[in-house]
Amino acid sequence: MEGGLKIGGVKRRITIHDVAAAAGVSISTASKALNNNGRMGDETRERVKRVASDIGFRPNALARGLLSKRSFTIGLLTNDTYGRFTLPVMAGVSEALVDHGVSVFLCAIEDDPALGQIHVDAMLDKQVDGIIATGKRLDRRLPVDLSNLPVPVVYAFTEGTPDSVTFRSDDAHGAQLAVEWLRQIGRHRIVHITGPRDFFSVHERADAYCQAAGGADPVMYGVWSESWGHEAIAEIWNRPGEKPDALFCGNDQIARGAVDALRERGIKVPDDVSVVGFDNWEIVAAQTRPPLTTVDMELKELGRQAGLTVLALAEGRPVEPGVRKLPCRLVVRQSCGGDSPRE
Amino acid sequence: MEGGLKIGGVKRRITIHDVAAAAGVSISTASKALNNNGRMGDETRERVKRVASDIGFRPNALARGLLSKRSFTIGLLTNDTYGRFTLPVMAGVSEALVDHGVSVFLCAIEDDPALGQIHVDAMLDKQVDGIIATGKRLDRRLPVDLSNLPVPVVYAFTEGTPDSVTFRSDDAHGAQLAVEWLRQIGRHRIVHITGPRDFFSVHERADAYCQAAGGADPVMYGVWSESWGHEAIAEIWNRPGEKPDALFCGNDQIARGAVDALRERGIKVPDDVSVVGFDNWEIVAAQTRPPLTTVDMELKELGRQAGLTVLALAEGRPVEPGVRKLPCRLVVRQSCGGDSPRE
DNA sequence: TTGTCGTGAGAAAACCTTTTACCAAGAAAT
DNA sequence: ATTTCTTGGTAAAAGGTTTTCTCACGACAA
């Protein structure tokens, strides 16, 4: 009843046997015809293909994988609960691999090593061709050892072994984009409000900010939340001294908190202060008033490249190990003022 | 080089042959020992198991699946781009099925029928044991026909065929929870600000609201965004007449917009007005000031049940078709006032 | 006529596991 | 002593596909 009717007896998937019988050839000839190898007459090949298509034959990937040792399946392991990073990455991976007939197992393992091990084992049992390990922090490993697996592993946004290939966004580049944009539109006193000190990417962004902005103001470290954005604004405006005319925030949530706090103080964004965020998390950036100009880490592209790389490794093609930093992109909305510089 | 070293020659996975050889028994004996069937001496069985564990044998799921016609794999199809609904559902599915050795293919198909068909075909080729179709709207079908598949399909948060089993949250119950809570804490003039009229769940919630609240005020329909929350507050407070002392919002984003708008008007939440949201989307609800009391749809539990159901169907166990409405849960934060009624 | 070659296609092995059928040997029953 | 039953285990088939090997047959050259 569920899942399709049985028509005239037992429900059975169509196999290459059926194709062979219908086309009046042997199984091996059918196989060769469909895979365009072996030798046979053009007429035979065409007939087999036509018959196969007519009766709706689709090869059993399990059987094929058993022999070829390729399952056309890869695993995506993540500890990112909210999907903030994982989902765009997954979208990219999936988009890149669907053309190659590869599907993706998604496993969310929180931070539980046991669960992680179970999922890795399950993937291995299912003969995945490769694994992409992704996380929410560059400098944290997944809670499971991926170093001696019989399949290739590539890392995205999480720390891998030195001889592996890791994809990450170029945080320094992102910070540079943000600061340069702010200067181009005429801002000079730029403050950087960011996340916790112990994040690697926080350092990279802060360093790039200092270099690009001339290091006028010290960086303000805090947490990744809106409320920290609020507090930071309170701190700045409650202390004596010149106020900034621009903020570069470590993520969109902080930026949103800051924008809200500024509005509550009667300070106009973008007229009095320009604000740039980081992440381009649509749900936050686009709903802020005014919508945030922010740095996009191009996670989908990152996923696409990670997908193609793990595929290359699975197919035995050589891949240079190391860290690949992908450039960021500035998404201009309204939190900085005119959408062209020097307006 | 990538993916583990080849130690002493060709890298090869350990098969049951290796176990049999190492234990000095035949392949079939080894298989039976490991699967606890067949007859043999306890000593033999234990020895085989020990050897298998020692050399790290794990059965090849492809080979097993080829014979048993079970791949221990299910597909999760979704058109929810942001993962707002999908991710919690997926977490529930995964959690329920990992104990049964079942892994989950996640496929995001946007609203592209061709892409959907490709992914469904790929899943079928990989012999998934079943498919869970999930979406973001109860009354919208996925853009792909799932009605005559050779595997069972269950639906979550999207419309299925009449004879299938569909899981959804009980929107009426959620609305009832919200309104009852507001009345319990002494609120009487409750306004319902919600999403577009053409959502099925909007109707269910609105109807339940009217019934529970006595239908004093008309329902305000709009869109699912913060800005609509703002607008609605402006509309209410700009028009003459008594103001509400409570808002029941159709989702957390609307609620957040409303709370922000109230604050900007100098109206205190929760002192002057209590606000209840819907969805318990942590990222919005917890970051609102004050944090939102909101209705949780128990998506993870929904996912778990959907997972167990598709598993049951895959194993041929009978399952009653129809729609299952899962109860909601009120998550009390600070947007309504004291965390106990009648305080 | 015989030998060689090329062409088209089928047979069989391989991939790995599970399951069914079967066998040999010893124990118990007649 | 012969039959029957139980025990501990093996051999083989099945599942669907790909690939390698082999074969038959007709054409062509010697």
Side-chain angles (χ1 to χ4, degrees):
Chain A
M1 62 180 75
E2 186 54 46
L5 302 319
K6 311 182 183 180
I7 309 168
V10 180
K11 178 72 170 288
R12 199 175 52 76
R13 280 194 161 93
I14 320 174
T15 78
I16 201 169
H17 288 85
D18 303 317
V19 177
V25 295
S26 73
I27 298 168
S28 36
T29 302
S31 171
K32 285 184 296 188
L34 296 173
N35 295 295
N36 280 327
N37 51 20
R39 286 181 329 217
M40 73 192 59
D42 286 351
E43 190 276 335
T44 310
R45 197 181 292 277
E46 285 313 314
R47 178 163 44 90
V48 172
K49 283 185 177 176
R50 187 160 29 77
V51 168
S53 148
D54 283 353
I55 65 177
F57 166 72
R58 299 196 57 105
N60 181 331
L62 260 47
R64 170 181 275 170
L66 188 56
L67 193 54
S68 70
K69 312 230 177 243
R70 292 265 332 258
S71 64
F72 291 90
T73 292
I74 70 133
L76 186 62
L77 215 57
T78 179
N79 65 349
D80 168 25
T81 320
Y82 290 110
R84 165 73 194 85
F85 298 102
T86 300
L87 247 85
V89 171
M90 160 102 196
V93 172
S94 188
E95 197 174 298
L97 297 185
V98 73
D99 297 335
H100 301 267
V102 175
S103 306
V104 181
F105 280 121
L106 178 58
C107 295
I109 60 172
E110 316 279 326
D111 279 307
D112 182 346
L115 189 60
Q117 192 60 51
I118 289 176
H119 273 126
V120 170
D121 286 346
M123 286 174 169
L124 259 25
D125 292 350
K126 285 173 182 138
Q127 314 288 114
V128 292
D129 298 334
I131 290 179
I132 297 176
T134 172
K136 39 192 174 185
R137 286 191 60 168
L138 284 170
D139 46 354
R140 281 280 190 276
R141 281 173 193 275
L142 251 35
V144 57
D145 182 26
L146 262 22
S147 58
N148 263 323
L149 261 35
V151 298
V153 178
V154 326
Y155 298 84
F157 264 96
T158 187
E159 198 178 338
T161 52
D163 63 333
S164 62
V165 27
T166 302
F167 289 90
R168 44 164 301 198
S169 55
D170 188 340
D171 285 286
H173 175 246
Q176 197 183 329
L177 279 178
V179 174
E180 277 175 5
W181 175 257
L182 288 169
R183 305 194 76 143
Q184 271 189 353
I185 60 174
R187 302 301 188 177
H188 288 97
R189 291 195 48 79
I190 306 170
V191 168
H192 184 35
I193 308 171
T194 187
R197 272 202 159 76
D198 61 332
F199 273 60
F200 182 71
S201 45
V202 165
H203 273 284
E204 283 224 337
R205 292 176 200 173
D207 290 351
Y209 153 79
C210 288
Q211 197 155 359
D217 286 280
V219 176
M220 300 177 71
Y221 298 98
V223 295
W224 295 120
S225 74
E226 286 188 37
S227 52
W228 162 234
H230 273 275
E231 286 168 32
I233 293 304
E235 202 173 312
I236 298 172
W237 261 264
N238 289 343
R239 73 190 176 201
E242 207 183 344
K243 302 310 173 205
D245 58 7
L247 305 176
F248 168 40
C249 299
N251 76 355
D252 288 342
Q253 290 177 270
I254 295 174
R256 165 143 201 193
V259 168
D260 286 353
L262 289 171
R263 188 173 49 247
E264 286 166 24
R265 287 175 175 266
I267 299 163
K268 298 262 181 274
V269 174
D271 299 342
D272 302 329
V273 176
S274 292
V275 178
V276 178
F278 210 108
D279 280 358
N280 191 27
W281 194 1
E282 288 270 349
I283 213 69
V284 175
Q287 296 282 328
T288 303
R289 294 171 305 146
L292 286 174
T293 291
T294 184
V295 177
D296 188 306
M297 293 190 287
E298 302 279 28
L299 295 174
K300 198 168 175 181
E301 174 60 23
L302 196 150
R304 189 198 319 276
Q305 295 203 19
L308 291 175
T309 303
V310 78
L311 185 65
L313 287 167
E315 290 173 350
R317 299 202 299 275
V319 172
E320 189 79 20
V323 176
R324 316 274 175 90
K325 293 190 195 179
L326 270 64
C328 296
R329 178 172 57 96
L330 189 76
V331 177
V332 176
R333 293 199 184 85
Q334 289 128 54
S335 66
C336 287
D339 58 359
S340 66
R342 309 208 178 286
E343 45 97 31
Chain B
M1 64 180 69
E2 188 54 46
L5 303 317
K6 311 182 184 181
I7 308 166
V10 180
K11 178 73 168 287
R12 200 174 51 77
R13 278 195 162 92
I14 314 173
T15 78
I16 202 171
H17 288 84
D18 304 317
V19 177
V25 294
S26 74
I27 297 167
S28 37
T29 303
S31 173
K32 285 186 298 188
L34 296 172
N35 294 295
N36 281 326
N37 49 21
R39 286 181 327 217
M40 73 191 62
D42 287 350
E43 191 275 334
T44 309
R45 197 180 291 276
E46 285 312 314
R47 178 163 44 92
V48 173
K49 283 184 176 176
R50 188 159 31 74
V51 167
S53 148
D54 284 352
I55 65 177
F57 167 72
R58 302 197 54 106
N60 181 330
L62 261 47
R64 169 180 276 168
L66 188 56
L67 195 54
S68 69
K69 309 223 178 254
R70 290 267 329 259
S71 64
F72 291 90
T73 290
I74 70 133
L76 185 62
L77 215 57
T78 179
N79 64 349
D80 168 24
T81 320
Y82 288 110
R84 166 71 195 90
F85 298 102
T86 300
L87 247 85
V89 171
M90 160 103 196
V93 172
S94 188
E95 198 174 297
L97 296 186
V98 72
D99 298 334
H100 301 268
V102 174
S103 306
V104 181
F105 281 121
L106 179 58
C107 295
I109 59 172
E110 316 280 326
D111 280 308
D112 182 345
L115 189 60
Q117 192 59 52
I118 289 177
H119 274 126
V120 170
D121 285 346
M123 287 175 170
L124 258 25
D125 292 350
K126 284 172 182 138
Q127 314 287 115
V128 291
D129 298 334
I131 290 179
I132 297 176
T134 172
K136 38 191 174 185
R137 287 190 61 168
L138 284 169
D139 46 354
R140 281 279 189 277
R141 280 174 193 274
L142 251 34
V144 57
D145 181 26
L146 262 21
S147 58
N148 262 323
L149 261 34
V151 298
V153 178
V154 325
Y155 297 83
F157 265 95
T158 188
E159 197 177 339
T161 53
D163 62 333
S164 62
V165 28
T166 302
F167 289 90
R168 45 164 299 200
S169 55
D170 188 340
D171 285 286
H173 175 244
Q176 197 184 329
L177 278 178
V179 173
E180 277 176 4
W181 175 256
L182 288 169
R183 305 194 75 142
Q184 271 191 353
I185 60 174
R187 303 302 188 177
H188 288 96
R189 290 194 48 79
I190 307 170
V191 168
H192 184 35
I193 308 172
T194 186
R197 273 202 158 75
D198 60 332
F199 274 60
F200 181 70
S201 45
V202 165
H203 273 284
E204 284 225 336
R205 293 177 200 172
D207 289 351
Y209 153 80
C210 287
Q211 196 154 358
D217 287 280
V219 176
M220 299 176 71
Y221 298 97
V223 295
W224 295 120
S225 74
E226 285 189 38
S227 52
W228 162 234
H230 273 275
E231 288 168 32
I233 293 304
E235 201 174 313
I236 298 172
W237 260 264
N238 289 342
R239 73 188 176 200
E242 206 181 347
K243 303 309 171 204
D245 58 6
L247 305 175
F248 167 40
C249 299
N251 76 355
D252 288 342
Q253 289 177 271
I254 295 174
R256 164 144 202 191
V259 168
D260 286 352
L262 289 172
R263 189 174 46 247
E264 286 166 23
R265 288 176 173 265
I267 299 162
K268 299 264 180 273
V269 175
D271 298 343
D272 301 330
V273 176
S274 292
V275 178
V276 178
F278 210 108
D279 279 357
N280 191 29
W281 193 2
E282 288 270 349
I283 214 68
V284 175
Q287 295 283 326
T288 303
R289 293 171 306 144
L292 287 174
T293 291
T294 184
V295 177
D296 189 306
M297 293 191 286
E298 302 280 28
L299 294 173
K300 199 168 175 182
E301 174 61 22
L302 195 148
R304 189 197 319 275
Q305 296 203 19
L308 292 175
T309 304
V310 78
L311 185 66
L313 287 167
E315 290 173 349
R317 300 203 299 274
V319 171
E320 189 79 20
V323 176
R324 315 274 175 91
K325 292 191 196 179
L326 270 63
C328 295
R329 178 172 57 96
L330 189 75
V331 176
V332 177
R333 293 199 183 85
Q334 289 128 54
S335 66
C336 287
D339 58 359
S340 66
R342 309 208 179 287
E343 44 97 31

